[in-house]
Amino acid sequence: MNATGEAPVSPAHLQILALQLSYNCFSACRPCVYACHPNRSRVMRADEAKAIIDQARTLALTKNFGFSGGEPFIHLDLLHELFRYVKDHYRYKMSISTNAYWAKSEAAAKGVLKELVDLGLWSLLVSVDDFHQEYVDVENVEHCVRAATELGVKCFMQSIETRSSRKTEDFKKSLRIPTDSELVEWASIPCDPVGRGEREIPAEDLILEWKVQPGICSMLKVWIVDPYGWVSACCGTAASDYLKVGNAFEEPLADIVHRANVNPLLNALAAWGGPFLLMDLLRDQGFPEFAGSLYTGPCHACHAVLGNREAVEKILPALDHRQLDLIMSRLVAQKQAYQHYQNKGKDSVWLPSPRLF
């Protein structure tokens, strides 16, 4: 037991629950994997969201809920209601993704964020890149981040990049925000040819430099519930029915998570941090083109593999046959990945050999 009297959670089971309140957004960014726009989808109702939140206590989750979209701040009243519910019943920390369209001034941004901080907000995922800035003034991003850091809110800055776009380093240098603060972290995200990105970003502008290799990804670490109740087992950009593991409006979330945690295909993706093992097996089944191609990253590679149902169905029997081995490999790999993160990348990451399979 820890100081609060709770049983400690194994590093292999540290998982996050995120609610995608809608796919609605005032922007229609060209790389958007969900093809968001102002009236893209229904909005998750408060009672639906609360029912899912109530079920989270039956799972081995970190004490942090995420809210994403679309643009969650479009539904500010709903955010207030859900934040208040979580604070009153669970006191978990909460995170929101945003493009900062709403931060018209620093004072306005501080007013919006202060209410949420008082209810449990601890971090923001803030988009800033050439594509979001086609719709949102970069000053809004500056207002948002300056206000957030003054309030002690962590800001994870995310920039989507293509060959011709400005890069993360460009924004780090140009934005008038406290870039050296411990409350500000940056990530570069290559544009994946998924959703609107596949249609509106020229293929020659994609950064196709990633070769298939094992790594670390969010598979079976993040549970995302979309506005229609469908649960995805990762937060990546790959779009596939193989990654939809059930509907939280129709069956208990615990049943969905348990089923996903023993799914051989998902465990293979989680253990190798992407489709490395799958491509190795596909090569043996007469699909060498997957392993021989270049991708923008592991999510693009996963999207390419899982988008070919004929290929996936060829290797499912082999994965099913080694279900227990795959589950154990994933648990060990996730524990090692957690330790690697705790050691700030100073040690090596253990990964199982694909030749075991």
Side-chain angles (χ1 to χ4, degrees), residues 12-270:
H13 292 91
L14 288 173
Q15 301 171 345
I16 297 172
L17 176 66
L19 302 184
Q20 234 172 339
L21 299 181
S22 79
Y23 292 129
N24 302 334
C25 182
F26 290 137
S27 306
C29 300
R30 288 179 286 145
C32 184
V33 298
Y34 300 114
C36 296
H37 59 71
N39 298 298
R40 167 74 167 79
S41 74
R42 75 185 294 271
V43 181
M44 187 181 294
R45 299 195 313 267
D47 64 301
E48 293 170 333
K50 290 175 184 177
I52 294 169
I53 290 168
D54 286 341
Q55 294 180 63
R57 61 187 172 187
T58 65
L59 304 172
L61 297 171
T62 57
K63 296 186 180 301
N64 176 25
F65 287 122
F67 296 90
S68 66
E71 171 54 55
F73 279 87
I74 290 178
H75 314 297
L76 188 55
D77 289 343
L78 176 59
L79 282 174
H80 282 156
E81 182 174 352
L82 297 179
F83 267 53
R84 192 171 293 107
Y85 185 79
V86 172
K87 180 181 180 181
D88 290 346
H89 293 83
Y90 303 103
R91 295 191 173 274
Y92 284 14
K93 296 186 295 184
M94 284 164 281
S95 305
I96 313 175
S97 63
T98 185
N99 62 20
Y101 82 93
W102 44 271
K104 304 299 183 183
S105 69
E106 192 167 337
K110 189 175 293 186
V112 170
L113 293 176
K114 179 64 167 62
E115 288 187 78
L116 293 169
V117 168
D118 290 343
L119 294 172
L121 176 68
W122 85 277
S123 75
L124 294 172
L125 174 63
V126 184
S127 295
V128 57
D129 50 54
D130 278 351
F131 308 103
H132 286 84
Q133 270 40 80
E134 290 175 356
Y135 295 89
V136 178
D137 195 311
V138 73
E139 289 186 352
N140 290 32
V141 175
E142 295 172 338
H143 298 153
C144 170
V145 177
R146 289 202 297 264
T149 53
E150 283 187 32
L151 293 168
V153 175
K154 183 91 172 183
C155 292
F156 296 95
M157 311 298 293
Q158 175 177 282
S159 298
I160 298 175
E161 300 179 354
T162 63
R163 291 190 182 278
S164 64
S165 73
R166 283 179 292 175
K167 306 300 189 288
T168 300
E169 288 302 316
D170 298 318
F171 288 99
K172 288 176 72 172
K173 294 175 182 176
S174 64
L175 285 183
R176 295 169 296 175
I177 62 174
T179 54
D180 57 346
S181 170
E182 292 184 356
L183 291 174
V184 180
E185 292 187 14
W186 293 80
S188 302
I189 311 295
C191 176
D192 291 331
V194 182
R196 192 180 286 126
E198 183 176 19
R199 301 189 297 273
E200 298 195 17
I201 301 298
E204 60 271 19
D205 204 21
L206 298 173
I207 304 174
L208 297 169
E209 298 177 352
W210 189 83
K211 294 183 178 179
V212 176
Q213 57 191 296
I216 299 173
C217 81
S218 64
M219 179 58 62
L220 297 179
K221 297 177 186 174
V222 180
W223 306 98
I224 298 182
V225 186
D226 79 6
Y228 300 93
W230 291 105
V231 181
S232 295
C234 79
C235 64
T237 60
S240 169
D241 287 342
Y242 288 109
L243 301 181
K244 290 183 178 180
V245 293
N247 192 296
F249 295 165
E250 299 174 357
E251 62 177 316
L253 185 61
D255 291 351
I256 295 172
V257 170
H258 172 73
R259 187 168 62 243
N261 275 327
V262 297
N263 181 297
L265 174 64
L266 302 184
N267 274 274
L269 291 169

Side-chain angles (χ1 to χ4, degrees), residues 263-292:
N263 181 297
L265 174 64
L266 302 184
N267 274 274
L269 291 169
W272 279 268
F276 181 71
L277 173 65
L278 305 189
M279 291 190 176
D280 196 71
L281 296 175
L282 285 169
R283 186 188 295 111
D284 295 341
Q285 291 292 330
F287 295 90
E289 65 273 16
F290 289 111

Side-chain angles (χ1 to χ4, degrees), residues 279-312:
M279 291 190 176
D280 196 71
L281 296 175
L282 285 169
R283 186 188 295 111
D284 295 341
Q285 291 292 330
F287 295 90
E289 65 273 16
F290 289 111
S293 299
L294 290 175
Y295 303 92
T296 58
C299 291
H300 177 201
C302 191
H303 178 71
V305 170
L306 299 184
N308 189 319
R309 181 168 291 275
E310 177 189 3
V312 175

